[in-house]
């Protein structure tokens, strides 16, 4: 036989009850079954609300009418008119009894635990009676069973302890003598030796099913709910949570204890003792196999089985020299809390025995504090103990799995995921069984933490990067185009998903909790945007508190740079093609590096120097591997490179510059490129990354232009001056050509000095054969002494720069 338990959502409406009965009918074709029912969804809360209102002397009639109508609507929908009256009559009797009890509470303004249990029992009694009568329309031999008559407990109302020996005798005796072929049993409720109604506490209907399954040695216990089994995490927090095929009893108990609400720990005890499998199934997707909880589980490749959490928790820390070496201190503390029915969720103690930290439910925190203050009054007065304090607004996150004890590095993976996302851990606990690692953290960080840890442990899922982008010019637009095009490849080959959560330019900004569709991001920015406010943008980005965040700066403005340090200190990585941050004063550059290292995030700026070329990365790899850089030579201006590569033959210098501008290689004012300022910034960043604490004034720049060209009042006048000085440029070209050389504007770092000069180089020089707008850089090191390491390729343009930014984003994702 199978025991089928249906939760509140499964009996919550006429539609769900019809689905329930179809499941029962199908199940009976294979094996006999007993059905255990919860109250209709929402009814237990309404009953509790009525009881509390009555105690306060408030009107409770509205919830009572709501409960009646909820049941009566189902009867009118699922029963023919001829069969409705007996059910209406019986339910009305129940509701009248309930009203009488509530009126008594209202009159005396007192609600005892015993009375509360009696009031709550009407939820299961009404639903079970109603569903059994609906079932009678299809099946013969149906009987509704009041489970409180058969499950016997002590008188601990609200959380009664079951007398298993007597209960199993009563259930077996009842089942042996009943003539019914299909039983519908009330879940949750029981009774003491005096016949007074008691309840089995949270998850009591599941517990009822397990008790009946144990008593009758059932083949399996099926818990029908509204989700597809046990999931790797709460699907309301983690969208990517997936169903688990099976769990051991221990794993299921650990997950349930730390907040997984699909099943509750006491439920499993009777099944565990008799090794009866429990299967969690979905009433609304009956074909889904669900999750099996059983004794012998197959080996799993998953490092952990699931991530569970308790949303709201409080901790108390007790410390002082009076605890050190004090035999029985912990026993005294926890015996005190146990006597007062205060449940300890988690305990951790320092190895010095100087402090004990424990977590309790927030409702118990102040009570625990007062009890400790009284019990240890003498120690507190003698300053052997410090007065304990309560910390609230905390949560517990727990990772669970039997594989943890066989897999090295589990703790490291957990704490790396939390650390990179700026989640501070307040306390840690791990049992000697190594089935569970639990951490206490800020409640505000729980969602981010669970998502980050889920991404870290389930490699077969796509890791999600949440990016916030500044700049919608040529580079920004091209980045979005590349992202959209490359998404399928990233998902398939890199298990990575990039979601753009916010976009801003100088005029408009838009942030979305769901992320932006890159197909129509421009429309969204126009339709739903608000006026751009960089301070507000950063504030909203931080408030979203998402895991794996990247701030992408595709601007050339100083304003975003002012927020870099704050962003890094918020455990958000930065990818930037904006050179201003790294080429301003050295202390600022150093502060960004230090913040990224301290807060465990990335600060990537590959495109600061060579657009999409791997120049910064190559330099870092050389230095990390222990190589020593003797000299760096570079041409790092695509604009200047294009001009000198095309300034040959009978071509005039001013015409080549104008052509470069028309092709989009220069700034609107070409002098912004030709004055060497941009080149200088790139060389400064390279020098700093090579280990030299240099400032802008430390770099020597030789101007390639006559003073009159630089002093021109407008762009038009600048071109006129170039033409006026044509002989100057022709002379340089002719001199180079006569010596079979070419003109190159080269930056050099050597012996801690940086200079940028206009040079003539011959064919033996690695820069001689440069073409187009390419950049080139050569590294002369201890390992590359005779033949320098050369990196060459396009060093300008929106496409290659966006590709470099894209690569940096993906490198963040790899971590």
């Amino acid at each position: 036989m199978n025991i089928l338990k249906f939760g509140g959502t499964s009996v919550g409406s006429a539609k769900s009850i019809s689905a329930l009965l179809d499941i029962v009918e199908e199940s009976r074709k294979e094996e006999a079954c007993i059905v255990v029912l919860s109250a209709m969804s929402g009814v237990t809360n309404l009953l509790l609300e009525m009881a509390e209102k009555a105690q306060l002397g408030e009107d409770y009639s509205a919830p009572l009418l709501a409960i009646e109508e909820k049941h009566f609507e189902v009867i009118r929908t699922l029963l023919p008119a001829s069969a409705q009256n007996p059910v209406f009559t019986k339910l009305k009797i129940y509701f009248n009894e309930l009203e009488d009890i509530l009126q008594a509470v209202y009159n005396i303004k007192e609600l005892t635990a015993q009375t509360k249990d009696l009031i709550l029992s009407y939820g299961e009694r009404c639903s079970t009676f109603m569903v059994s009568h609906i079932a009678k329309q299809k099946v013969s031999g149906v009987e509704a069973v009041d489970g409180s008559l058969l499950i016997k407990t002590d008188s601990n109302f609200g959380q009664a302890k079951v007398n298993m020996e007597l209960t199993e005798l009563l259930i077996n005796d009842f089942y042996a003598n009943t003539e019914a072929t299909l039983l519908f049993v009330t879940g949750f409720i029981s009774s003491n030796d005096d016949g007074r109604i008691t309840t089995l506490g949270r998850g009591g209907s599941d517990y009822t099913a397990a008790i009946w399954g144990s008593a009758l040695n059932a083949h399996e216990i099926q818990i029908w709910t509204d989700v597809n089994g046990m999931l790797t995490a709460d699907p309301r927090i983690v969208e990517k949570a997936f169903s688990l095929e099976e769990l051991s009893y221990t794993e299921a108990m650990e997950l349930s204890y730390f907040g997984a609400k699909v099943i509750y720990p006491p439920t499993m005890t009777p099944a565990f003792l008799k090794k009866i499998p429990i299967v969690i199934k979905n009433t609304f997707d009956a074909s889904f196999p669900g999750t099996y909880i059983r004794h012998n589980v197959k080996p799993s490749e998953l490092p952990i089985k699931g991530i569970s959490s308790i949303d709201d928790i409080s901790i108390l820390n007790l410390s002082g020299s009076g605890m050190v070496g004090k035999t029985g201190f912990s026993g005294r503390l926890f015996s005190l809390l146990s006597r007062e029915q205060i449940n300890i969720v988690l305990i951790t103690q320092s190895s010095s025995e100087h402090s004990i930290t424990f977590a309790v439910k927030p409702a118990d925190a102040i009570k625990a504090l007062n009890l400790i203050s009284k019990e240890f009054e003498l120690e507190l007065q003698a300053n052997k103990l410090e007065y304990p304090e309560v910390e609230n607004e905390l949560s517990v996150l727990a990772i669970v799995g039997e594989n943890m004890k066989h897999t090295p590095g589990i703790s490291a993976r957990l704490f790396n995921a939390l650390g990179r996302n700026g989640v501070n851990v307040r306390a840690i606990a791990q049992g000697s069984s190594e089935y569970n690692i639990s951490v206490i953290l800020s409640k505000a960080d729980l969602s981010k933490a669970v998502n980050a840890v889920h991404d870290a442990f389930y490699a077969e899922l796509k890791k999600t990067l949440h990016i916030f982008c500044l700049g919608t010019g040529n580079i920004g637009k091209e980045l979005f185009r590349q992202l959209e095009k490359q998404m399928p490849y990233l998902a398939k080959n890199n298990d990575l998903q990039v979601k753009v959560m916010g976009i801003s330019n100088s005029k408009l900004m838009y942030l979305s909790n769901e992320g932006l569709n890159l197909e129509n991001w421009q429309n969204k920015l126009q339709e739903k945007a608000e006026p751009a406010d960089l301070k507000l943008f950063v504030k909203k980005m931080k408030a979203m508190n998402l895991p794996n965040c990247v701030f992408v700066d595709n601007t050339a403005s100083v304003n975003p740079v002012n927020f870099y340090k704050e962003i890094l200190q918020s455990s958000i990585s930065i990818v930037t093609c904006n050179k201003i941050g790294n080429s301003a004063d050295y202390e600022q550059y150093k502060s960004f590096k230090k913040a990224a290292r301290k807060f465990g995030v990335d600060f990537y700026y590959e495109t600061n120097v060579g657009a999409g070329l791997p120049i910064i990365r190559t330099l870092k790899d050389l230095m990390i591997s222990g190589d020593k850089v003797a000299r760096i030579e570079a041409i790092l201006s695509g604009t200047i490179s294009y001009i000198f590569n095309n300034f040959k033959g009978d071509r005039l210098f001013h015409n080549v510059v104008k052509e470069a501008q028309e092709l989009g290689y220069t700034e609107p004012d070409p002098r912004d490129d030709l004055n060497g300022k941009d080149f200088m910034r790139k060389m400064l960043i390279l020098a700093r990354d090579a280990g030299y604490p240099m400032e802008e004034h430390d770099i020597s720049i030789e101007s390639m232009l006559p003073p009159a060209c630089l002093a021109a009042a407008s762009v038009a006048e600048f071109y006129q001056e170039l033409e006026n000085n044509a002989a100057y440029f022709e002379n340089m070209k002719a001199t180079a050509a006569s010596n079979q050389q070419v003109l190159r504007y080269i930056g050099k770092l050597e012996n801690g000095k940086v200079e940028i000069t206009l040079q003539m180089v011959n064919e033996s020089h690695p820069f001689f054969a440069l073409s187009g707008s390419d950049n080139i850089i050569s590294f002369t090191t201890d390992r590359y002494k005779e033949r320098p390491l050369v990196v060459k390729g396009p060093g300008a343009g929106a496409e290659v720069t966006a590709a470099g930014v894209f690569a940096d984003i993906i490198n963040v994702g790899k971590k």
Side-chain angles (χ1 to χ4, degrees):
M1 118 179 2
N2 291 331
I3 308 295
L4 281 63
K5 178 265 172 179
F6 291 90
T9 52
S10 300
V11 290
S13 65
K15 184 179 179 180
S16 59
I17 290 170
S18 295
L20 178 160
L21 294 174
D22 289 341
I23 291 167
V24 172
E25 189 174 356
E26 194 65 29
S27 180
R28 293 181 73 226
K29 291 177 183 178
E30 298 179 7
E31 293 187 77
C33 63
I34 292 173
V35 180
V36 176
L37 299 178
S38 295
M40 294 183 76
S41 60
V43 166
T44 301
N45 287 338
L46 286 172
L47 289 167
L48 189 58
E49 179 188 338
M50 286 191 293
E52 291 171 349
K53 281 180 176 291
Q55 181 187 19
L56 297 171
E58 298 176 1
D59 181 25
Y60 52 82
S61 59
L64 182 58
L65 285 172
I67 291 174
E68 286 188 21
E69 183 53 34
K70 194 174 181 72
H71 288 81
F72 289 170
E73 182 184 352
V74 170
I75 294 164
R76 287 191 289 266
T77 304
L78 296 181
L79 281 178
S82 58
Q84 290 178 8
N85 280 341
V87 187
F88 279 136
T89 301
K90 179 64 174 178
L91 288 179
K92 195 62 183 174
I93 291 171
Y94 278 145
F95 294 135
N96 288 340
E97 290 175 1
L98 177 59
E99 189 171 15
D100 289 343
I101 299 165
L102 291 167
Q103 187 60 45
V105 173
Y106 180 90
N107 290 337
I108 63 174
K109 306 294 187 293
E110 184 180 347
L111 179 64
T112 64
Q114 178 178 326
T115 305
K116 186 188 290 187
D117 275 3
L118 180 58
I119 291 170
L120 294 180
S121 72
Y122 281 91
E124 274 68 22
R125 289 201 258 178
C126 289
S127 66
T128 303
F129 177 78
M130 177 181 70
V131 174
S132 67
H133 269 265
I134 295 168
K136 285 179 182 179
Q137 304 303 307
K138 292 185 176 183
V139 182
S140 59
V142 172
E143 182 180 350
V145 180
D146 185 344
S148 67
L149 301 174
L150 303 174
I151 297 180
K152 289 296 179 178
T153 69
D154 61 12
S155 296
N156 184 21
F157 296 98
Q159 191 78 44
K161 183 179 179 181
V162 178
N163 181 338
M164 288 300 295
E165 187 176 352
L166 176 58
T167 295
E168 291 199 359
L169 284 172
L170 291 171
I171 290 174
N172 275 290
D173 183 64
F174 171 82
Y175 190 71
N177 291 290
T178 185
E179 295 181 0
T181 56
L182 178 59
L183 302 180
F184 286 83
V185 182
T186 56
F188 182 54
I189 61 175
S190 46
S191 63
N192 63 11
D193 291 338
D194 298 326
R196 301 279 186 180
I197 291 289
T198 59
T199 59
L200 300 175
R202 183 183 174 203
S205 293
D206 291 354
Y207 196 14
T208 300
I211 291 166
W212 276 74
S214 175
L216 299 173
N217 292 306
H219 173 243
E220 69 181 27
I221 299 163
Q222 299 176 3
I223 308 295
W224 290 83
T225 181
D226 56 357
V227 293
N228 284 334
M230 293 276 273
L231 278 70
T232 50
D234 187 338
R236 294 169 300 179
I237 299 176
V238 181
E239 288 185 10
K240 293 182 283 188
F242 60 91
S243 299
L244 294 161
E245 183 181 347
E246 63 177 4
L247 293 166
S248 69
Y249 289 112
T250 304
E251 289 170 333
M253 283 182 175
E254 292 280 0
L255 285 170
S256 300
Y257 181 75
F258 282 98
K261 297 178 177 63
V262 176
I263 194 168
Y264 301 99
T267 300
M268 285 171 277
T269 304
F272 174 75
L273 293 173
K274 292 194 175 179
K275 296 182 173 57
I276 301 170
I278 300 171
V279 58
I280 315 295
K281 294 177 73 71
N282 190 345
T283 305
F284 308 101
D285 187 5
S287 62
F288 192 83
T291 300
Y292 273 87
I293 301 168
R294 51 187 159 210
H295 180 65
N296 292 316
V297 297
K298 300 190 296 288
S300 172
E301 294 182 359
L302 296 175
I304 63 171
K305 281 293 179 70
I307 305 162
S308 197
S309 58
I310 300 175
D311 294 347
D312 207 0
I313 211 77
S314 297
I315 62 171
L316 289 90
N317 186 57
L318 197 58
S319 62
S321 58
M323 296 170 57
V324 180
K326 188 76 171 179
T327 305
F329 183 89
S330 298
R332 185 178 162 196
L333 171 63
F334 295 119
S335 295
L336 165 71
L337 299 173
S338 176
R339 285 197 305 271
E340 298 298 326
Q341 302 293 311
I342 294 176
N343 184 44
I344 307 297
V345 176
L346 177 150
I347 305 167
T348 180
Q349 182 173 15
S350 65
S351 56
S352 65
E353 300 182 21
H354 187 264
S355 67
I356 294 177
T357 299
F358 60 94
V360 297
K361 294 177 181 178
D364 292 332
I366 299 301
K367 182 181 177 182
L369 184 65
N370 293 334
L371 287 169
I372 292 169
S373 297
K374 290 178 182 178
E375 176 71 20
F376 298 98
E377 184 178 5
L378 294 177
E379 288 90 339
L380 290 166
Q381 288 177 353
N383 293 322
K384 291 184 176 181
L385 289 179
E386 295 179 15
Y387 279 90
E389 293 184 355
V390 176
E391 288 188 56
N392 297 311
E393 294 297 310
L394 299 171
S395 297
V396 176
L397 180 152
I399 59 172
V400 172
E402 292 187 353
N403 267 2
M404 287 167 56
K405 67 189 301 181
H406 307 296
T407 310
I410 292 291
S411 298
R413 204 185 302 189
L414 168 65
F415 294 115
N416 181 60
L418 295 175
R420 273 187 65 83
N421 285 283
V423 178
N424 186 41
V425 175
R426 288 287 298 105
I428 305 164
Q430 180 175 13
S432 58
S433 64
E434 296 186 52
Y435 288 161
N436 172 313
I437 302 175
S438 306
V439 295
I440 293 178
L441 41 84
S442 169
K443 186 177 179 180
D445 287 333
L446 180 62
S447 177
K448 177 169 71 170
V450 175
N451 276 280
V453 173
H454 198 273
D455 267 0
F457 279 102
Y458 297 107
E460 68 277 12
L461 298 177
K462 299 174 189 66
K463 181 178 181 178
T464 302
L465 282 182
H466 300 98
I467 68 172
F468 297 81
C469 298
L470 292 190
T472 57
N474 291 336
I475 296 171
K477 288 176 182 175
E478 177 61 22
L479 175 64
F480 294 149
R481 188 193 69 77
Q482 291 179 13
L483 277 171
E484 183 188 359
K485 182 180 178 181
Q486 200 67 0
M487 284 294 190
Y489 179 87
L490 290 175
K492 182 179 179 181
N493 297 283
N494 294 77
D495 297 319
L496 190 64
Q497 179 184 21
V498 180
K499 291 182 73 173
V500 179
M501 309 304 292
I503 296 176
S504 180
N505 56 30
S506 60
K507 296 178 180 178
L508 300 171
M509 69 180 192
Y510 176 59
L511 296 96
S512 168
N513 288 318
E514 289 74 41
L516 285 83
N517 185 340
L518 291 180
E519 290 182 2
N520 63 351
W521 67 268
Q522 288 168 302
N523 293 336
K524 288 288 184 186
L525 191 60
Q526 292 296 327
E527 294 168 7
K528 296 192 175 183
E530 55 186 309
D533 181 333
L534 188 52
K535 184 176 182 180
L536 182 60
F537 185 87
V538 171
K539 182 179 179 181
K540 286 188 172 185
M541 173 181 70
K542 289 164 60 179
M544 288 169 78
N545 207 22
L546 295 168
N548 308 320
C549 281
V550 187
F551 178 82
V552 181
D553 180 7
N554 287 322
T555 74
S557 167
V558 70
N559 294 333
V561 176
N562 296 326
F563 292 92
Y564 280 10
K565 190 172 179 181
E566 176 187 344
I567 291 167
L568 293 167
Q569 289 174 339
S570 301
S571 297
I572 296 172
S573 294
I574 293 178
V575 168
T576 179
C577 63
N578 186 343
K579 292 183 281 291
I580 295 174
N582 286 324
S583 60
D585 66 271
Y586 179 75
E587 284 306 313
Q588 176 177 274
Y589 161 88
K590 190 175 177 182
S591 72
F592 296 157
K593 294 277 192 171
K594 185 177 180 181
R597 188 166 57 250
K598 180 178 179 180
F599 291 90
V601 291
D602 298 309
F603 178 46
Y604 288 154
Y605 46 91
E606 184 67 69
T607 49
N608 277 194
V609 174
L613 296 179
I615 293 174
I616 297 288
R617 196 168 297 119
T618 300
L619 175 59
K620 286 182 179 178
D621 288 346
L622 288 170
M623 296 179 68
I624 288 171
S625 65
D627 203 354
K628 290 185 178 180
V629 177
R631 182 172 65 254
I632 296 175
E633 289 184 287
I635 295 175
L636 295 175
S637 169
T639 303
I640 297 174
S641 182
Y642 178 85
I643 290 170
F644 283 115
N645 285 333
N646 288 275
F647 182 44
K648 54 190 176 183
D650 59 355
R651 301 202 65 185
L652 298 174
F653 191 79
H654 64 273
N655 287 335
V656 175
V657 173
K658 187 168 287 186
E659 180 183 279
Q661 184 178 22
E662 289 169 354
L663 290 171
Y665 289 138
T666 76
E667 296 295 329
D669 185 339
R671 285 172 294 181
D672 291 341
D673 297 293
L674 298 178
N675 63 13
K677 182 87 170 178
D678 184 65
F679 196 166
M680 178 276 297
R681 286 175 174 165
K682 294 176 180 180
M683 289 302 298
L684 179 60
I685 293 168
L686 270 178
R688 287 173 172 177
D689 275 9
Y692 298 101
M694 302 184 76
E695 300 290 357
E696 182 177 326
H697 59 76
D698 295 321
I699 295 179
S700 170
I701 307 178
E702 177 188 350
S703 175
M704 70 175 73
L705 300 175
C709 297
L710 293 172
S714 66
V715 174
E717 289 185 20
F718 163 68
Y719 276 112
Q720 185 59 53
E721 288 295 335
L722 284 182
E723 196 168 345
N724 294 341
N725 286 273
Y728 169 80
F729 296 109
E730 287 297 311
N731 182 53
M732 283 196 300
K733 181 172 66 173
T735 302
S738 65
N739 294 311
Q740 296 183 321
Q741 294 175 318
V742 292
L743 294 167
R744 295 288 182 256
Y745 199 51
I746 299 173
K748 182 171 75 172
L749 166 64
E750 189 171 21
N751 298 324
K753 294 182 180 180
V754 176
E755 58 182 19
I756 300 171
T757 56
L758 184 61
Q759 300 180 31
M760 298 180 189
V761 301
N762 60 30
E763 61 183 5
S764 66
H765 196 284
F767 295 176
F768 179 82
L770 198 65
S771 62
S773 61
D774 281 359
N775 281 3
I776 191 168
I777 185 165
S778 74
F779 297 96
T780 303
T781 72
D782 284 357
R783 294 174 191 156
Y784 297 92
K785 191 175 293 183
E786 302 300 326
R787 299 178 63 190
L789 172 63
V790 176
V791 179
K792 174 185 173 184
E799 190 171 359
V800 292
T801 304
V805 172
F806 194 161
D808 276 351
I809 292 171
I810 301 309
N811 282 323
V812 175
K814 288 178 181 178
K815 290 191 177 182

